[in-house]
Structure formats: structure tokens, C-alpha cells
Amino acid sequence: MERNGTSTTTLVLSGFVDVEKYRYLYFWLWVLFYFLIVSSNCVIIYIVKINPSLHEPMYVFIAALSLNSILLSTTVYPKLMVDVLSHRQVATYSGCLLQVFVFYSLAAADLMLLSTMAYDRYVSICRPLRYATLMGKTRVCVFLILAWVLPACHVSVSIIIQSKQKLCGLVLEGIFCNTTIVKVHCSNPMSLFVWGFVVIANMAVFPMVFIIFTYVRIFRVAFRSRGEIRAKAVDTTLPHLMVLVMFTVFIVFDVMIGLLGINLTKILRLFLSMQILVYNPLFNPIIYGLKMKEIWKRIKRLALFSKN
């Protein structure tokens, strides 16, 4: 039966497996993951904040990436905790659109921040004499603002288009609101697909191409230079590349779950959803904490100080 996409329309989230049986297992898993994500990312932010020597663009961007991970997780985890303790896992259509907007805006902001970090490493290694000019405080602030504002502007257009569509389905094949929301519409206008390609191109493809281009240039310069510059390139770019790989995995999982409509078992679909929610937010601070020497040294000092 056709339904209007009003705020009172309720959608059923059907992605949980045996929620009645494993209700408390789900709940404590969400609590554990959310606690680890928030605490580990807060450590990175705190380390950068209290150490003046880390008030450099590279570390500021890392702190921004950690903040983004906290915000991204907060968009999903609290709702998951409430859902598994409820008799029905549901969401209003307007609430679902809001979650989709915030989630994908922040996910795209992740890639924008990774792009600014790639540019920062490019200028630092390939244009060191101009680094202070090209990466001044004002420019860093502009990069940070654009990293969050541009994705929000792009995703908001898609949300506005979807908010005007009529609903013919009330069941989402997931544990939270994601790209599968388009499947509950009676029909999707061509403008939604066209703008979807624009968003993917501007927020994913172009940044990815830019990152690859900058790192090709970085490694060409690094391997033609002295051992010190080469070591600096590896030390500061390897964690970034590892995070980029994790983000690519995130994109692949999301496309598999949402847009491609691949027939997956319910257990596999749930497993892939959990990877999306855990990989980047939790592994980013671990990668930067372990691989960035300056951050790792200060984490060890903080740990020793807390013991004393």
C-alpha cells in the first residue's frame, strides 16, 4: 500500500538476527564498541590539545579525524542500544532521513579530511620551503570548515529529494538507516540518481584521485632523496595510507549492503554492517597512536604519569 513520506511514518529495521535471543549480547557489544571508539579517539584529541609541539597542521587534521569518528559513531550507536532493548526495532521516516544525512555527511567528511592530510604531507615533503605559507593557520581553518560543510551541502540535496517521495515499503534491510532507504520509495526520480553520481564524484572519486596523485608525487620525491626525507615520508604517510585503505573497505561494504542490492544472508548482512560501524572509528586512533611516533611517545608518557 502506498504511504506518504511524512514524519509519522514508521519504518521497521529488519537487520537484526534473533534479537529476542541475543538482545543483551547485542547491547553490550554496542556499549563496548562505542566506549572503545569514544575513549581511544578522545585520547588522540587530548594528546594533540595539551602538547604545543603537536599544534601543527598534520596533528590538527588527525585530531579532527578523531572528532569526526566520535560524531559518526554517536549518530548510530546510541540508537542501536535503544533498539535492541526495545520490543520493536523501528524508526520514523523523518528520523531515518536525519540519520542518513548526518551519517553520510560525516562519512564524506572523513575522506575530505584524508584529502587535506594528503595535501599537507605533499607540501611538507615536496614543497618544504613553502610549507609555512601554504599551511598557515587561516588556511588550515578553511580546510577544516570545508571538510564538514561541503559534504553536508551535497548530502542535503539528496535528502530533500528523498523527503518528497512516496513510500510503498516500510521495512529496511539493515540495523540502521543507510542507502537501503531508497528501496522503500514507490519510485525514485532520475534527479536522485543523477545527484547521487554527483555526490559520489565530488565527495569520493575526486578526493580519492587527488590522494593517489599526491602520494605518487610524495613517493617519487622521497625515494630520490636522502634517507632522512625518505624516513619522514614513510613515518608520516604510512598511517594515512592504512586509514585510506580502511575507508575504502568501508565504502565497498556500504555499496554491497545498500545500492547494489546483492542478495546476502541476514547474518552476513549484519556482519558487514558491524564492520562499517567498527573499522574506521576504532582503528583510526589505533593506527595513528601506534604508527605516529610523536603521538605514541606522548601516549606512553601519559600512561606512565597516570600510574604515578
Side-chain angles (χ1 to χ4, degrees):
M1 183 170 63
E2 186 177 284
R3 307 282 183 107
N4 289 327
T6 63
S7 59
T8 56
T9 302
T10 300
L11 304 179
V12 177
L13 303 171
S14 64
F16 290 98
V17 177
D18 293 331
V19 67
E20 295 292 336
K21 183 177 181 180
Y22 300 112
R23 183 186 308 278
Y24 295 105
L25 175 61
Y26 282 131
F27 176 78
W28 288 113
L29 275 177
W30 302 147
V31 171
L32 175 63
F33 288 145
Y34 188 53
F35 172 78
L36 291 175
I37 289 168
V38 172
S39 58
S40 59
N41 281 285
C42 281
V43 167
I44 298 296
I45 296 171
Y46 179 72
I47 291 293
V48 173
K49 183 179 184 300
I50 67 172
N51 289 277
S53 61
L54 298 183
H55 293 176
E56 300 176 4
M58 177 175 64
Y59 299 107
V60 171
F61 291 138
I62 290 174
L65 198 64
S66 289
L67 175 60
N68 199 67
S69 294
I70 294 173
L71 296 175
L72 183 69
S73 300
T74 303
T75 303
V76 179
Y77 277 99
K79 177 67 165 60
L80 287 176
M81 296 174 199
V82 172
D83 283 342
V84 295
L85 294 180
S86 303
H87 293 294
R88 297 182 66 213
Q89 292 72 51
V90 297
T92 64
Y93 183 61
S94 59
C96 225
L97 288 177
L98 178 61
Q99 187 176 57
V100 169
F101 167 71
V102 177
F103 183 80
Y104 286 103
S105 295
L106 293 173
D110 247 24
L111 194 51
M112 296 297 289
L113 288 169
L114 290 173
S115 300
T116 59
M117 293 168 70
Y119 177 72
D120 173 74
R121 291 300 83 209
Y122 168 76
V123 176
S124 175
I125 295 170
C126 302
R127 299 286 187 271
L129 298 179
R130 300 190 60 195
Y131 185 78
T133 302
L134 295 176
M135 295 302 296
K137 289 184 178 180
T138 301
R139 183 163 293 191
V140 170
C141 290
V142 170
F143 283 155
L144 289 174
I145 293 171
L146 291 178
W148 277 297
V149 171
L150 285 180
C153 292
H154 276 72
V155 177
S156 63
V157 176
S158 296
I159 297 302
I160 291 172
I161 296 174
Q162 292 185 64
S163 67
K164 298 178 180 179
Q165 305 310 307
K166 293 182 178 180
L167 306 183
C168 287
L170 297 177
V171 179
L172 288 180
E173 298 176 348
I175 59 176
F176 67 100
C177 300
N178 57 10
T179 52
T180 58
I181 195 172
V182 299
K183 295 181 180 180
V184 303
H185 299 153
C186 297
S187 62
N188 291 293
M190 183 59 64
S191 59
L192 181 60
F193 291 103
V194 171
W195 186 251
F197 282 112
V198 172
V199 174
I200 292 173
N202 289 343
M203 297 292 103
V205 177
F206 291 159
M208 194 73 73
V209 170
F210 174 76
I211 291 171
I212 294 172
F213 171 77
T214 56
Y215 274 90
V216 169
R217 296 291 299 274
I218 287 172
F219 285 120
R220 284 180 60 185
V221 170
F223 286 103
R224 290 176 182 175
S225 305
R226 297 171 299 159
E228 182 181 346
I229 296 178
R230 188 180 304 176
K232 177 184 177 182
V234 173
D235 181 52
T236 58
T237 60
L238 181 60
H240 185 260
L241 287 176
M242 294 172 67
V243 170
L244 182 62
V245 170
M246 299 305 298
F247 188 85
T248 303
V249 171
F250 163 84
I251 293 175
V252 171
F253 281 152
D254 188 66
V255 171
M256 287 180 62
I257 291 175
L259 296 179
L260 294 185
I262 298 175
N263 292 322
L264 301 173
T265 64
K266 202 169 185 180
I267 293 177
L268 182 57
R269 187 181 294 275
L270 175 63
F271 176 77
L272 293 178
S273 296
M274 290 179 66
Q275 309 315 300
I276 291 174
L277 298 176
V278 173
Y279 267 5
N280 268 50
L282 182 57
F283 289 165
N284 283 3
I286 294 175
I287 290 172
Y288 284 120
L290 294 178
K291 293 296 183 180
M292 298 293 287
K293 291 181 180 179
E294 293 301 317
I295 292 179
W296 178 235
K297 284 193 299 185
R298 285 160 176 80
I299 290 176
K300 288 192 291 185
R301 288 179 190 173
L302 183 64
L304 291 173
F305 178 77
S306 62
K307 288 182 180 179
N308 296 330

